[in-house]
Amino acid sequence: MEIENKTEITRLLLQSLTSLSYKESFTTLQSESGILLENSQIQQLKEHILQGDWSTVSTLLASLHTLLGENLSTIKFLTSQQKYLELITQNELIPAMKCLREELTPVSNDPSRIHYLSSLLFRPDFEVGNVGGDIPTTRGSLLTVLQNLVSPLMVPDNRLLEILEEYKTLVKLNCLYHLDSKIDLFKPHKCLRSKFPTRTSRVLKHDDEVWYVTFSPNGKYLASASKDGTIKIWDTKTWTARELLFDAPPTYLAFSPNNKYLLANFNDPQIQLIDVESAEVVKTFSKHLQETTTCSWMPDSMSFISGAADRQMILWNISGSVEFIWNHRGQDLAISRDGKLMVSATSQKLSGFSLVDKSQDPVFTVPEKDEITSLTFSSSDSGHLLVKLSNHEVHLWSIPLTPLTNGSNSGKSLDILSIPLIAHHYVEGNNEEKEKFVVRCCFGGGDDSVIISGSGDSNVYIWNKEKEVLLECLSGHSKCVNSVAWNSDKPMIASGSDDATIRIWEPEESVSMELDI
């Protein structure tokens, strides 16, 4: 088979061999192919930039004017800028002013940049690393900018690895039933539908409606909350359950990131902390004045935030102490994976609060189209927030997390991209009655590649997140499906319904066809 772009491929291999320190292999490939990684003058230019030999750099650039073409002025500016910054750092102010006047100003077409650079002369505490914006702060970062600017004259460092990562990303995006986060480069990648959970493997029971289900982060346990007043903690290997009975029905559950604890909300002001191994309540949190509706753990498993109908969101330490109180109602809330942002839902509005610079003022507010019934952050990408609405739509929001601090944006509406994944409409029954249900959704699949949602029509719906197409409509329940959960340890979905059952869904190939369900 004839290989196209042989020169490009060979140069990529040469650059990779250099990064891997395979010097003999590099020399052999370059000699055998007759293809150089880079022009000898380009190689000299890179070496002298890294050495900070700016006089030689200037001479080399003059000799490369034909090769560099229209990029020459930009490169001259960038290299002189690095020289200038280093002179200021070394307190060589007179040479720095000369560089600014004779080298930078003549090749710049941005007066604001020259003005900013000149202001650095009057900052006695100036350090190159504190320069803001898109200005390279080291010789290495300067070289990276130049490599991207004059490609293919210079081959960017680790370019072959970048191409492989881009390939992996595209493979994942084009895999409808993506399950395996590890992409094997030595064979075509395709996740089969037969390995995706689409068939009921077992039915677990409560004595009344099941309002919430959730798997522990390690996948070893499934917790369920029911109108019958019980919380059950199921072992996902044996499917035996330990049961806790409460005076008020539990409405919401949250496993701690370290798998040790389970938080429970009820139709009363209290929050219970349950030890997962012993299945016993080890702490009761009593501060809210009305029924609690939600809670979410911080990444360290030592603190959490609760929301309630009393218009308070409380940051608790698991010892029982209160660390902060926001005077905002949070009917549901979610904390980003990095623990820096909390998003709360109130009626038809999303509000974001910085957990770094805690303040009563949100860093952004975003209106939604209808009443919000649930929200959850992606576990693989902190910037993706899944929102379920009472009008049967699921929205995926992409939130710019860095930086989100209480500054000029505080309390203002932020321009955030919302992608409506699906507009699902119930097909039977009384729509007006079903709209009152609190139906939840979640991420699932490898790298959170699918969206899973319960439904008032008794089905479980699964969409591919990137393609925005409906993959599956799982039937089996006889009443509204209130809650769904994905097991991060193996392909498995749990769904809790008003029919008092929990259905466990597994791949078709692993479920007995004779199972009577």
Side-chain angles (χ1 to χ4, degrees), residues 185-202:
L185 295 174
F186 297 101
K187 62 181 181 181
H189 176 85
K190 184 178 181 181
C191 295
L192 302 176
R193 181 182 181 275
S194 60
K195 295 184 180 297
F196 198 88
T198 58
R199 182 175 173 82
T200 301
S201 62
R202 66 188 67 249

Side-chain angles (χ1 to χ4, degrees), residues 67-129:
L67 197 59
L68 298 176
E70 61 184 16
N71 291 316
L72 181 60
S73 294
T74 302
I75 296 171
K76 282 184 176 181
F77 180 85
L78 290 171
T79 53
S80 295
Q81 178 179 255
Q82 182 65 33
K83 171 185 174 181
Y84 172 76
L85 295 175
E86 292 183 7
L87 286 171
I88 298 178
T89 302
Q90 298 160 9
N91 204 30
E92 298 284 347
L93 299 186
I94 293 177
M97 286 189 284
K98 182 179 180 182
C99 176
L100 179 68
R101 182 176 62 254
E102 297 179 2
E103 298 180 37
L104 285 166
T105 304
V107 294
S108 173
N109 56 4
D110 185 356
S112 62
R113 172 61 64 87
I114 294 296
H115 178 74
Y116 172 73
L117 291 174
S118 64
S119 71
L120 301 179
L121 288 165
F122 307 99
R123 285 172 49 181
D125 59 339
F126 171 76
E127 293 182 5
V128 175

Side-chain angles (χ1 to χ4, degrees), residues 223-462:
S224 56
S226 171
K227 187 179 178 182
D228 63 14
T230 65
I231 293 174
K232 292 185 178 183
I233 302 176
W234 308 82
D235 185 306
T236 58
K237 286 186 177 180
T238 64
W239 294 107
T240 56
R242 292 164 295 160
E243 182 177 306
L244 295 89
L245 179 62
F246 299 91
D247 294 334
T251 58
Y252 191 94
L253 303 171
F255 277 102
S256 61
N258 64 6
N259 303 289
K260 292 183 178 180
Y261 300 110
L262 180 69
L263 285 169
N265 295 108
F266 301 84
N267 280 333
D268 66 23
Q270 293 186 335
I271 304 166
Q272 305 284 5
L273 181 67
I274 300 167
D275 180 271
V276 174
E277 288 298 323
S278 64
E280 295 179 349
V281 175
V282 294
K283 193 77 178 178
T284 299
F285 301 88
S286 303
K287 180 74 174 178
H288 287 290
L289 303 178
Q290 298 182 40
E291 65 182 54
T292 58
T293 56
T294 183
C295 52
S296 185
W297 285 92
M298 295 292 285
D300 62 3
S301 297
M302 297 301 294
S303 54
F304 66 92
I305 301 175
S306 61
D310 61 4
R311 295 186 58 83
Q312 285 192 333
M313 297 185 296
I314 301 177
L315 173 60
W316 304 84
N317 187 283
I318 59 172
S319 65
S321 61
V322 173
E323 298 182 358
F324 194 81
I325 297 177
W326 290 268
N327 295 317
H328 295 265
R329 181 175 180 180
Q331 61 194 50
D332 201 5
L333 63 87
I335 296 174
S336 61
R337 185 181 61 177
D338 59 11
K340 295 181 179 180
L341 180 72
M342 171 182 66
V343 177
S344 69
T346 305
S347 185
Q348 298 184 32
K349 183 174 71 174
L350 296 172
S351 299
F353 295 87
S354 171
L355 298 179
V356 178
D357 304 315
K358 300 179 184 69
S359 169
Q360 293 294 333
D361 297 321
V363 292
F364 69 81
T365 58
V366 181
E368 259 294 6
K369 294 172 59 177
D370 212 310
E371 295 287 326
I372 300 168
T373 62
S374 75
L375 67 162
T376 181
F377 265 112
S378 168
S379 61
S380 65
D381 182 348
S382 285
H384 279 171
L385 181 73
L386 196 61
V387 180
K388 185 75 169 70
L389 304 181
S390 61
N391 68 351
H392 326 309
E393 291 185 5
V394 179
H395 287 182
L396 179 67
W397 292 75
S398 180
I399 299 179
L401 296 179
T402 306
L404 274 179
T405 57
N406 283 329
S408 58
N409 282 332
S410 181
K412 297 182 180 179
S413 178
L414 189 64
D415 183 18
I416 299 178
L417 174 64
S418 174
I419 309 171
L421 286 183
I422 192 69
H424 166 63
H425 297 274
Y426 299 117
V427 294
E428 58 185 3
N430 187 328
N431 283 352
E432 292 184 2
E433 179 182 356
K434 291 180 184 297
E435 285 180 355
K436 299 176 183 178
F437 294 149
V438 176
V439 175
R440 301 183 182 276
C441 57
C442 71
F443 289 97
D447 302 302
D448 288 348
S449 60
V450 301
I451 305 298
I452 308 168
S453 179
S455 170
D457 63 6
S458 77
N459 294 318
V460 175
Y461 290 84
I462 304 174

Side-chain angles (χ1 to χ4, degrees), residues 202-214:
R202 66 188 67 249
V203 179
L204 311 175
K205 296 183 178 180
H206 274 272
D207 294 330
D208 209 328
E209 299 172 359
V210 180
W211 287 347
Y212 201 87
V213 292
T214 182

